[in-house]
Amino acid sequence: MNPTTLPPAPHKVRGRGRPPKDISEQQDIRHQLIQAGIIALTEKGFGASGLDDILRGAGVAKGSFYHYFENKEDFGFAVIRGYACYFDAKLARWLNDDTYPPVQRLRHFVEDAKTGIIRFDYTRGCLIGNLGQELAILPTSFHQELRAVLAGWECRVATCLTAAFDTPSPACGHICQRWAEFFWIGWEGAILRARLERSVRPMSLFSEIFLEMVEAGCDLKG
């Protein structure tokens, strides 16, 4: 899970002064800041991401930042929600594609993630996973937000896996939910290890074993 299709933050530098009054331009600048924040946090995490670097990446004057966000915590919330929205759309694209069997949809998601992490030379991980490793320095208000994002992703995977059963039942739904939780626990670790090793091997190993387990489970319960 990585923000590999995110476009680079724009580099056009605005002059100093008051933020523009045009609503559409204000929304565009706010979006630029969030995009630059997503890139910074996926590469360096919350603690190591300086505001000056983010502003420079977004091409926004420092004096304008507080027109859009009250403080770094408020900005962090916006970044988490922006990333969650982006990634939910990615999951929907792969996991809702009913032209393929459910397990194959997950394989497509995995291959897309592997392609992306290579494209960015293993510099970008999962923003949610990165923040999960920084709980000691994060505002406590972030904790519930991160749990909610992960719960949403688990629901996406559980729904996809449930479709693998010919006659879904409450028991199937329960096991698919457990599989989905297990997937994200392992996948976050696989992303971390891939960045450490600068290889997609951990992602391949985890996903292959996970999908073999799912296929065997579906055969037993089908």
Side-chain angles (χ1 to χ4, degrees), residues 18-116:
R18 293 183 178 181
K21 294 182 179 180
D22 181 78
I23 296 298
S24 62
E25 189 173 356
Q26 288 187 36
Q27 291 174 338
D28 183 59
I29 292 175
R30 191 176 191 277
H31 177 71
Q32 289 174 223
L33 285 166
I34 291 173
Q35 289 295 97
I38 288 173
I39 292 170
L41 268 63
T42 53
E43 291 182 350
K44 297 184 284 187
F46 187 79
S49 296
L51 187 56
D52 287 343
D53 291 338
I54 292 171
L55 290 167
R56 193 177 303 114
V60 176
K62 189 170 186 178
S64 299
F65 177 82
Y66 294 102
H67 176 79
Y68 302 100
F69 306 99
E70 293 181 8
N71 47 42
K72 191 176 180 181
E73 181 175 349
D74 182 40
F75 177 62
F77 264 113
V79 169
I80 291 171
R81 288 165 184 167
Y83 181 82
C85 182
Y86 146 79
F87 204 80
D88 193 59
K90 175 189 279 286
L91 287 173
R93 183 171 75 250
W94 293 116
L95 303 187
N96 293 357
D97 185 359
D98 59 9
T99 59
Y100 294 94
V103 173
Q104 188 60 40
R105 299 175 211 172
L106 269 170
R107 286 198 176 95
H108 289 166
F109 165 74
V110 168
E111 291 306 312
D112 177 66
K114 287 161 58 178
T115 299

